Amino acid sequence: MPAVIDAEIMRFAQAITAPLASDRSTSTARTVAEAWEITKGRKPAPELRNYRRDLDLYFEYWRWRRTSHRKTPTGWIDVPGLSHGDAICKLVSKLGKSPKTIEGVMTRFSKEYGDGDPNENPAFREP
């Protein structure tokens, strides 16, 4: 498991079990929402589902951007990935979301995880 994911799991587990240190406290939906840094008044399950959906969109974008390799009778060739605009268009077509929405997701995750392909990002690699 990549170190960044392991660290997030541990952070989350500690945050939701911290109230259990006291005999009178329990973990609640509020505790979980705070651990996931979900805005007050919002429900954790839909927020986590939306986050997962957006993360899938982010990885799908990079799958289309990545150069791939294809075997031909004469050997292997590189197949260039799609341009930024073409990858966005594919996502718009596939998901029925606006380009602005998709760009917003891409911007959010780029800020959170760094620019560039997550396969080349050390935060997503095995230690």
Side-chain angles (χ1 to χ4, degrees):
M1 172 179 314
V4 68
I5 294 173
D6 187 49
E8 178 59 19
I9 291 169
M10 291 305 296
R11 184 202 64 77
F12 177 74
Q14 289 169 348
I16 62 169
T17 58
L20 302 177
S22 165
D23 291 339
R24 295 183 180 164
S25 296
T26 60
S27 289
T28 63
R30 186 175 136 250
T31 308
V32 174
E34 287 172 357
W36 276 106
E37 300 168 354
I38 294 170
T39 307
K40 185 176 179 179
R42 309 239 357 218
K43 295 183 179 181
E47 289 290 316
L48 294 175
R49 197 171 35 249
N50 292 343
Y51 186 86
R52 172 61 190 263
R53 178 203 60 212
D54 291 349
L55 197 56
D56 288 344
L57 182 152
Y58 174 73
F59 283 110
E60 182 74 14
Y61 168 85
W62 282 108
R63 275 191 290 278
W64 281 326
R65 293 289 319 266
R66 217 172 276 132
T67 297
S68 60
H69 310 285
R70 188 175 67 214
K71 188 170 185 172
T72 66
T74 59
W76 288 91
I77 61 169
D78 289 342
V79 179
L82 298 176
S83 69
H84 170 77
D86 289 343
I88 296 293
C89 286
K90 284 262 197 191
L91 287 167
V92 167
S93 181
K94 180 179 179 178
L95 303 174
K97 303 246 181 248
S98 74
K100 184 177 178 179
T101 299
I102 292 169
E103 288 283 358
V105 169
M106 297 307 300
T107 299
R108 184 176 99 212
F109 284 115
S110 291
K111 285 179 182 175
E112 192 169 336
Y113 298 114
D115 289 333
D117 188 341
N119 278 357
E120 297 172 11
N121 184 338
F124 288 102
R125 286 194 215 135
E126 295 291 328

